[in-house]
């Protein structure tokens, strides 16, 4: 019998599901059991051509619609996503292995928020009137054209919407390539947009590995590339896009600092560290994986952290009581286990976890290392798994310098009751998305993105509009033209 997660076909182009079994088969493995639940096929050059030519052709008419009309469609799509939240959350769980407890509140709901927010903004995207005596300049905010979205595997519904919603609101069309690891959810986003009344061809999904992504990025018809992925992939995609002088948004990885001062509320700080390391089993780009704890509260913090981490419920992700799921793939599990071994070998003190869980599927116990030092591998490299490094510090000046000593700059957090210090420290940290007495909140109203190697551009908020549109300026002369001859 066909598994309920099996999509009707691999791709979604011009308003319908399209199959081409000549492409490389991509097995979809349910991370909680290791079973294959579906198969899709990587896009062949014919499929890529179909998607790009369709998106190119559909964009002009879409951009001619009023912002109100475009916005209405996006907001309808948001309503449909919310009505189907349970079904979409189950699919997200099959795609990623994340527990339903999370997917019910963080994935289709976040996607719906993006569709609603950018749907609401679509009608207000206007230019300016700039008076120059009798003459004037007016500006128009125009679509970029055909945009390519490429997703990572940790938030397949959310990424498809965070890229699609602002792109479409501005009058662009999109071809979206999910990660080969999680190909299922973006197809639903495409299907829902059609059901909400979107014209065929403005949002297309094609499957495939990096080479399909690369063929999209280098196509001359493409005007913009928005990638969520790792820094090495980001460098390649950015360079390929630069060759064609295309616009880019790069949402890349991090090794973000979470700084906890002596005066912090311990339970809130522990809660922030748990959210910033163990949500989605640590597979979150903005995670605060370097937890700097001021020496005065170190042992108290570690004791409370170990106690609360012991309450994590590992198990069937479809059981809403489960609060901690598996790694997305066996490969990712092995990468993370490799980092845990490095942590042990380099002398970090294991506080809890540290092993593969004794279960089917790709589960790793939530792991905390203390006495981590700045040069250890686990403190320098992005692990993308449930491994928290706790580092000691004494002074504010010292911790800010150490926190900034990394190529990354996605996020940063600080816990303290001293608000003057909180703002000062955040002001001195090199990071794009920051938190005071909290960690990892990502509402659509707030800009999201990194500095340094963590990225270029911002997603969400009004900032995203700037990255999916461009300004045309028009000088209007009322009098005669003066010329030298
Ligand atoms: P990868 O960088 O491996 O892949 C990202 C996407 O790019 C995938 O769809 C991948 O395809 C595709 N790709 C790979 N090579 C190329 C290429 N040469 N040209 C075009 N596309 C290509 O990242 P992961 O999927 O492993 O995701 C984890 C990473 O994503 C982490 O480093 C994490 O920090 C980052 N991330 C960043 C976020 C942010 O917003 N800043 C949010 C979430 C994750 P395929 O994998 O199918 O081969």
């Amino acid at each position: 019998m066909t598994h309920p997660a099996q999509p009707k076909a691999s791709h979604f182009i011009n308003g319908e599901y399209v199959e081409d079994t000549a492409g490389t088969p991509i097995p979809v493995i349910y991370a909680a059991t290791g079973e294959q639940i579906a198969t899709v096929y990587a896009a062949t050059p014919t499929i890529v051509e179909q998607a790009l030519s369709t998106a190119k052709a559909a964009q002009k008419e879409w951009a001619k619609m009023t912002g109100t009309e475009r916005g209405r469609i996006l907001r309808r799509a948001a309503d449909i996503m919310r009505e189907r939240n349970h079904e979409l959350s189950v699919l997200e769980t099959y795609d990623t292995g994340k527990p339903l407890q999370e997917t019910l509140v963080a994935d289709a709901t976040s996607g719906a928020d993006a569709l609603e927010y950018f749907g609401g903004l679509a009608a207000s995207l206007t230019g300016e009137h700039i008076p120059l005596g009798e003459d004037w300049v007016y500006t128009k905010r125009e679509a970029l054209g055909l945009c390519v979205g490429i997703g990572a595997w940790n938030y397949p519904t959310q990424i498809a919407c965070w890229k699609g919603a602002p792109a479409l609101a501005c009058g662009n069309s999109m071809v979206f390539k999910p990660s080969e690891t999680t190909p299922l959810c973006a197809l639903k986003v495409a299907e829902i947009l059609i059901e909400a009344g979107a014209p065929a061809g403005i949002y297309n999904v094609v499957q495939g590995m990096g080479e399909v992504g690369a063929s999209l990025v280098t196509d001359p018809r493409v005007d913009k590339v928005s990638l969520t992925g790792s820094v090495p992939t980001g460098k390649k995609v950015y360079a390929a896009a630069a060759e064609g002088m295309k616009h880019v948004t790069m949402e890349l990885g991090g090794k973000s600092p979470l700084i906890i001062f002596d005066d912090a509320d311990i339970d809130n700080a522990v809660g922030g560290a748990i959210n910033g390391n163990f949500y989605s089993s640590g597979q979150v780009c903005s995670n605060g994986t370097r937890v700097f704890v001021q020496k005065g509260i170190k042992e108290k913090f570690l004791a409370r952290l170990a106690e609360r981490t012991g309450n994590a419920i590992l198990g069937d992700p479809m059981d809403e009581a489960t609060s901690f799921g598996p790694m997305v793939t066996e490969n990712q599990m092995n990468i993370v286990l490799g980092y845990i071994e490095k942590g042990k070998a380099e002398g970090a003190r294991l506080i809890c976890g540290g092993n593969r869980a004794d279960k089917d599927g790709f589960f790793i116990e939530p792991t905390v290392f203390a006495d981590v030092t700045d040069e250890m591998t686990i403190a320098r490299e992005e692990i993308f798994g449930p491994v928290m490094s706790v580092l000691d510090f004494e002074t504010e000046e010292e911790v800010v310098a150490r926190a900034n000593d990394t190529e990354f700059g996605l996020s940063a957090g600080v816990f303290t009751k001293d608000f003057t210090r909180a703002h000062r420290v955040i002001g001195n940290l090199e990071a794009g998305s920051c938190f005071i007495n909290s960690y990892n909140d990502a509402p659509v109203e707030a800009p999201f993105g990194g500095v340094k190697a963590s990225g270029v551009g911002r997603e969400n908020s009004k900032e995203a509009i700037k990255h999916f549109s461009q300004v045309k300026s028009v000088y209007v002369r009322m009098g005669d033209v003066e010329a030298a001859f």
Side-chain angles (χ1 to χ4, degrees):
M1 212 183 79
T2 313
H3 192 278
Q6 174 66 49
K8 279 187 213 155
S10 301
H11 319 288
F12 196 95
I13 300 172
N14 204 18
E16 52 192 33
Y17 279 95
V18 177
E19 191 55 279
D20 181 354
T21 53
T24 309
I26 302 174
V28 185
I29 309 291
Y30 182 37
T33 60
E35 289 171 274
Q36 181 169 345
I37 53 170
T39 308
V40 296
Y41 295 87
T44 56
T46 315
I47 289 286
V48 169
E49 177 53 35
Q50 241 178 300
L52 288 171
S53 55
T54 296
K56 181 78 186 163
Q59 189 264 327
K60 289 265 180 299
E61 288 306 310
W62 174 243
K64 273 189 204 154
M65 286 167 65
T66 67
T68 305
E69 289 166 333
R70 287 198 303 271
R72 192 178 302 135
I73 291 167
L74 298 184
R75 283 183 290 109
R76 247 188 243 135
D79 290 345
I80 299 171
M81 286 195 85
R82 291 210 178 89
E83 280 157 23
R84 295 215 199 131
N85 184 45
H86 196 274
E87 170 209 331
L88 296 170
S89 303
V90 167
L91 190 69
E92 174 93 20
T93 293
Y94 278 131
D95 222 2
T96 60
K98 293 184 293 182
L100 202 54
Q101 192 188 90
E102 283 187 18
T103 56
L104 282 170
V105 296
D107 294 283
T109 51
S110 165
D113 282 356
L115 289 161
E116 183 173 6
Y117 177 85
F118 289 106
L121 279 186
S124 63
L125 307 179
T126 58
E128 276 189 288
H129 168 261
I130 304 162
L132 292 163
E134 287 195 341
D135 296 352
W136 77 88
V137 167
Y138 67 91
T139 66
K140 295 174 73 176
R141 187 156 286 281
E142 296 187 335
L144 298 173
L146 167 50
C147 301
V148 160
I150 300 179
W153 39 255
N154 54 349
Y155 284 84
T157 308
Q158 185 187 84
I159 295 172
C161 292
W162 280 19
K163 298 192 188 306
L168 267 45
C170 294
N172 303 286
S173 59
M174 177 161 273
V175 175
F176 185 81
K177 189 200 84 69
S179 163
E180 68 178 279
T181 304
T182 53
L184 306 177
C185 296
L187 292 167
K188 286 287 165 194
V189 173
E191 192 186 305
I192 286 169
L193 280 162
I194 290 294
E195 197 179 322
I202 60 150
Y203 188 90
N204 309 278
V205 176
V206 297
Q207 308 294 349
M209 290 67 123
E211 68 223 37
V212 171
S215 70
L216 295 170
V217 172
T218 48
D219 191 279
R221 287 164 290 187
V222 171
D223 301 289
K224 149 118 203 183
V225 179
S226 176
L227 170 83
T228 296
S230 61
V231 173
T233 302
K235 286 180 182 168
K236 276 191 233 159
V237 172
Y238 197 0
E243 197 56 42
M245 210 55 92
K246 299 176 201 298
H247 297 255
V248 295
T249 300
M250 295 284 142
E251 293 295 350
L252 310 176
K255 190 74 199 174
S256 301
L258 170 54
I259 301 173
I260 297 167
F261 285 96
D262 277 347
D263 67 341
D265 178 291
I266 293 241
D267 258 304
N268 285 335
V270 167
I274 287 173
N275 289 342
N277 281 273
F278 298 142
Y279 202 72
S280 302
S281 300
Q283 302 166 114
V284 180
C285 52
S286 49
N287 271 355
T289 47
R290 289 184 296 146
V291 180
F292 290 94
V293 181
Q294 207 165 15
K295 276 199 169 149
I297 52 160
K298 175 183 165 184
E299 292 307 329
K300 224 163 132 191
F301 176 86
L302 287 172
R304 189 71 185 118
L305 177 64
E307 187 187 334
R308 284 182 56 181
T309 302
N311 295 332
I313 301 173
L314 281 69
D316 175 5
M318 294 296 176
D319 178 348
E320 282 184 50
T322 296
S323 56
F324 190 86
M327 296 289 93
V328 71
T329 57
E330 188 170 12
N331 184 44
Q332 186 62 18
M333 177 185 73
N334 289 330
I335 291 171
V336 176
L337 288 172
Y339 276 111
I340 290 174
E341 287 316 309
K342 275 204 179 116
K344 292 175 184 167
E346 291 178 16
R349 170 161 62 111
L350 188 63
I351 300 293
C352 56
N355 299 299
R356 180 174 182 177
D358 184 18
K359 288 188 178 311
D360 290 340
F362 314 132
F363 288 86
I364 295 179
E365 296 165 348
T367 297
V368 177
F369 282 109
D371 303 339
V372 176
T373 55
D374 295 346
E375 66 285 353
M376 287 182 189
T377 311
I378 55 169
R380 303 222 63 83
E381 296 182 14
E382 185 182 44
I383 298 174
F384 228 59
V387 183
M388 186 192 308
S389 293
V390 178
L391 303 93
D392 311 340
F393 77 94
E394 285 182 28
T395 70
E396 177 183 321
E397 199 186 4
E398 167 213 337
V399 77
V400 167
R402 289 170 58 201
N404 286 337
D405 183 18
T406 167
E407 64 164 327
F408 301 109
L410 184 50
S411 293
V414 55
F415 275 81
T416 175
K417 291 200 183 99
D418 177 347
F419 266 81
T420 310
R421 173 160 66 187
H423 292 293
R424 185 174 60 233
V425 168
I426 287 293
N428 286 326
L429 289 173
E430 296 160 0
S433 300
C434 298
F435 309 93
I436 293 176
N437 292 334
S438 187
Y439 205 84
N440 261 356
D441 313 78
V444 67
E445 296 86 348
F448 181 80
V451 301
K452 294 158 71 178
S454 291
V456 175
R458 291 292 177 272
E459 296 202 295
N460 287 343
S461 80
K462 292 181 198 150
E463 286 295 314
I465 295 295
K466 294 184 195 155
H467 297 288
F468 278 106
S469 61
Q470 58 197 343
V471 170
K472 176 180 277 174
S473 106
V474 184
Y475 190 104
V476 181
R477 182 176 296 282
M478 298 299 284
D480 295 332
V481 174
E482 280 180 29
F485 52 86

